[in-house]
Structures are given as C-alpha cells and as structure tokens.
Amino acid sequence: MSVLLPSTFLFVLPFIQLGYSYYASVSTAGAALILFIAGASNFRTLWQQNLVFRSIACLLMILATASYGGASGQDVLRTVREAVAFFLVTGSAPWSLPIFNSRILSRVLFAIWLFGLGTLLMVIVQTVYLRSHAYFGIPMELFSQNTNTLPGELALLYSNLRPSGTFAEPSYLGGICLSLIFAISPLLKKRRSVQLLAALLVVIVGISRSLSGILFIFLYLSICMRGALRSPAIFYGCVVSLFGILLAVTLTDNPISDRLLTGGDYDASIMGRIFGPLEAIPKILPQYPLGIPLAPFQDMGYSFSGDLAAAEMTHNGLFNLIINYGFVGFLLVGVVLFSFRNTEVLVYVLALSIQNGGFLTVDKFVIIALSIMLHNSLRASTPQRKRVDVLREFQSYSLGRSTGPVSSSLR
C-alpha cells in the first residue's frame, strides 16, 4: 500500500483543489486513497485516539449549529462534514506508514523534487504573466474550492497579484510547502539533498510572497532546528541570522517588505486572520454562546467590526472554531492540543489551521494525514535503532561481557 505514496504526492497534492464539485473532487478521491494507504493498523487508531473526547466534540459541533435559530439544512450538513473532518484529522496524529523502507523514501523524495521543480517553474512563469496583467495556470472552471480567491479581469488589471502555482491562492501554496517541509524535516540534519529540497520550497514561497507561508515556515524551521543542532551556539546563531535576514528584507524596498510594513493596520490578510477575529469574538460570545454558522456569519456584514466585513474575518481556521461554534470551539481547540502532543506536529497543525480558513475540510485532512504519516515514519526509523543499540551496549556492559571501552554511541 505504501508504494502508492509517491504517486499521491505527485497526482493528488498539486491538484487537490480541483474537481466538478466539493464531493466529486480530487480531495475526496485523495481522502479515500489516504485511508487505503494508512492501512488497518492506522485506521484502528481513529477509534482509540481520545475517542470519547473527539466523539463528544463532534456531537457538540452539530448541536451548536442546530441550535442556531437561522440555521438551514445546508448549515447543518456543512457542520456534519466538518465534524467528520475533525474526527479524521485529530485521529491521524499517531499515524505512520505500515510499510516503509529506503526504496519508498527515495521515491517519495523524488516525487517531492518533481513537485518542487515544477512549481518553481510555474510560479516564475506566472510572475511574468501577471506583470503583463494576464492569467497563466489551471483553467479557473476546474477549481471546486476557493474559487472566490481566483483573479477576475479587474483584479488582473488593477491588483498586485501574486503567483500561486496550481492552487487558487498564494497562502494555500505556502501551506503546501510548509506541509512538505514538515514531512521531510526528520531528515534535515542527515541529508544534504533534503536540505536543498527544503531550500527549494522556501524559495517557492518567497516568490509567491505569501507572508503567512514565510513566517510559519521560518517559525517551524526554528523549532525543528533547535532539536536537530547539537550545539546551542549554532542554533541561536541560526535564529539571529534568520531575524537578520527578516530585518534586511524589512528595511529594503521589495514586495515582501511592502506587506510587512503595512501589515499592522492595512494588510487585509493580517487584519482578516488576526485582528478582525480578535475584535469580533468578544462581541459574538455574549450574544451567541454556541456561535454562528459560517454562512449566516458571512451575511452579517459589519455587525462586529467597523473596518472588516464578517466574510473577511473567516481566514483563520482556529478562530473560526470559536466564531462558528462559540464556547464549544474552546473544547475543539483543547482536543486538537491534546491530540497533537508532539511539539513539532502541533506547531505544524496550528500553523496550517491559521494559514487558511478552511481547516476542517477534506483537502486539509489529506494534506495533514499525508504529511504526518511521512513525518512520523521518518522520525521513528532511525531513533528507534539508536535506542536499541544503546540498550544492547548497556546490557552487555552491565553483565560483564564488554571486552573493551564503552562504545562511542554512549559517550
């Protein structure tokens, strides 16, 4: 089953937003493929991993939406869909590949290299076309998700558009690159080719000028490299260098600095993800303790903010849990924190949830589960072997069978 993993990276991830409809889509087919790849052992964890809390949380999601006075059948159906996605995403935390070896790893890395090189070429060509006010990419009618972020004729003429590869928006491309870096991060210290691959993905995000992608990738790499570098001096040197680069970018005239310098008050993406929801949530909870379903909330206009319409405040999936489900949302966030207890995995999942408003969706389950399976498999492959070697050395030494000095692995 794991031999299907390389083709999943190549044929599902780049086209995951395409389809005839939400259900007849690449993401739905990808979810079925992920469950098949995961195998019976991983599938059983869906019914073992914090089952009681996850089940109660899903039930409360549905009850919260059903209790809203203006909720329609479509609102309840959407919540049921999100509850299923929540159950799957939180249950995939311990997943790893049932069959994993060097041959599969080589194929996976080759597939990611092909994705990276192809995407790099595409974003470069898109940048050239966008400067000429022309669209280059997958035909817009083939997208089944995030169609509202695709550029129209007026946007092409008058907006400073950014390349997004095969996806509907640059932030989604940033989320995909973040996911791939997370997936291969256990090998960052061990393979120069993996370091170059991560650098390629960072370059792609830099060309796309996805501010959230840049910030979250740097945040994740900082946390990841802290464990990978043995010398604290090297780690803090990397952190200082990173902030030095960010400072240099900020103080020079370039498209990224334009977004950073105007992000506090004027950048719509930062306002919509952070400041807008933080302003709205304290006003929502006293009036709607069980939240407001997404569609009715988007129709409320400027009810909770004088600067942003409600529809502009739905780009943060973590805040959406509280906006759409009220105090139940805090329980949902708690279940997420409890399910993903590994620091690197938790940072990745939280970053991906903030990066794009559609957190509890089929496509996000595919992306998260696929990345977690590869990450956990890579992380478990070598450390386990080292622990066994250390245990055998200790047993041999304690029983008096050691004939020489202690192995270097124990020094």
Side-chain angles (χ1 to χ4, degrees):
M1 290 184 290
S2 298
V3 295
L4 295 173
L5 191 68
S7 60
T8 306
F9 276 100
L10 276 178
F11 300 117
V12 173
L13 274 190
F15 312 110
I16 198 165
Q17 290 185 298
L18 306 184
Y20 179 76
S21 66
Y22 184 88
Y23 296 102
S25 62
V26 174
S27 60
T28 302
L33 182 60
I34 288 298
L35 292 174
F36 179 74
I37 292 174
S41 59
N42 287 324
F43 190 75
R44 280 195 298 269
T45 63
L46 287 175
W47 314 102
Q48 299 171 353
Q49 173 84 356
N50 309 325
L51 177 62
V52 174
F53 294 106
R54 289 164 52 229
S55 300
I56 292 175
C58 292
L59 178 61
L60 290 177
M61 289 172 65
I62 300 171
L63 292 177
T65 299
S67 66
Y68 182 77
S72 65
Q74 289 295 323
D75 295 323
V76 176
L77 179 62
R78 178 188 178 90
T79 299
V80 171
R81 190 174 70 201
E82 290 194 346
V84 172
F86 181 84
F87 190 82
L88 292 173
V89 168
T90 54
S92 67
W95 282 11
S96 60
L97 295 170
I99 302 174
F100 188 74
N101 51 42
S102 59
R103 183 179 180 184
I104 294 174
L105 174 61
S106 298
R107 290 180 176 181
V108 168
L109 293 178
F110 180 71
I112 299 176
W113 268 107
L114 288 181
F115 168 84
L117 293 173
T119 303
L120 176 64
L121 177 61
M122 190 165 190
V123 295
I124 291 174
V125 174
Q126 284 178 333
T127 301
V128 175
Y129 269 75
L130 289 173
R131 288 181 178 177
S132 303
H133 308 286
Y135 175 78
F136 177 84
I138 294 176
M140 298 182 186
E141 60 271 16
L142 296 181
F143 284 87
S144 63
Q145 300 178 47
N146 294 94
T147 54
N148 59 322
T149 60
L150 295 168
E153 293 183 6
L154 293 178
L156 288 170
L157 288 175
Y158 300 110
S159 299
N160 182 21
L161 298 177
R162 297 168 287 133
S164 57
T166 58
F167 308 101
E169 57 179 330
S171 63
Y172 202 101
L173 172 60
I176 293 291
C177 291
L178 169 66
S179 299
L180 294 177
I181 290 175
F182 162 74
I184 62 176
S185 61
L187 291 180
L188 276 176
K189 180 185 174 183
K190 303 171 185 177
R191 293 198 181 193
R192 182 63 59 85
S193 61
V194 173
Q195 297 170 3
L196 293 175
L197 179 54
L200 171 64
L201 296 171
V202 172
V203 169
I204 292 171
V205 178
I207 296 175
S208 74
R209 290 175 285 156
S210 170
L211 180 58
S212 59
I214 294 171
L215 293 179
F216 287 134
I217 285 176
F218 281 165
L219 171 64
Y220 177 76
L221 287 177
S222 298
I223 294 174
C224 177
M225 294 305 290
R226 183 178 182 179
L229 296 175
R230 294 182 179 179
S231 171
I234 296 178
F235 167 71
Y236 289 112
C238 291
V239 172
V240 171
S241 300
L242 171 62
F243 281 101
I245 293 172
L246 289 177
L247 181 62
V249 169
T250 303
L251 296 178
T252 56
D253 185 16
N254 58 78
I256 296 177
S257 67
D258 291 341
R259 300 195 77 212
L260 288 172
L261 292 174
T262 61
D265 296 319
Y266 306 106
D267 192 279
S269 66
I270 293 180
M271 287 294 294
R273 281 187 176 89
I274 306 297
F275 299 108
L278 287 177
E279 177 187 359
I281 287 174
K283 301 176 183 178
I284 291 173
L285 291 177
Q287 301 181 50
Y288 305 95
L290 293 180
I292 308 169
L294 181 63
F297 178 73
Q298 290 177 326
D299 294 335
M300 286 186 168
Y302 292 86
S303 300
F304 302 102
S305 173
D307 300 319
L308 289 175
E312 297 177 278
M313 293 187 285
T314 59
H315 303 303
N316 187 320
L318 209 60
F319 284 151
N320 282 350
L321 296 180
I322 300 172
I323 292 174
N324 299 149
Y325 302 107
F327 287 103
V328 174
F330 291 104
L331 172 63
L332 300 179
V333 174
V335 172
V336 170
L337 296 177
F338 190 69
S339 298
F340 299 98
R341 280 171 279 184
N342 176 271
T343 302
E344 292 181 13
V345 180
L346 179 61
V347 169
Y348 159 67
V349 172
L350 292 179
L352 196 65
S353 70
I354 295 173
Q355 199 161 354
N356 185 273
F359 175 43
L360 300 181
T361 54
V362 176
D363 57 309
K364 288 300 173 62
F365 162 67
V366 174
I367 296 169
I368 292 173
L370 186 62
S371 302
I372 283 178
M373 281 196 295
L374 183 56
H375 177 91
N376 287 343
S377 299
L378 289 175
R379 191 179 64 185
S381 58
T382 52
Q384 285 183 353
R385 216 176 292 125
K386 289 181 180 179
R387 284 195 296 268
V388 170
D389 292 341
V390 171
L391 179 61
R392 287 176 178 172
E393 188 81 28
F394 175 77
Q395 290 175 339
S396 176
Y397 182 78
S398 62
L399 292 175
R401 291 197 294 265
S402 179
T403 58
V406 178
S407 170
S408 61
S409 63
L410 291 177
R411 293 173 185 170

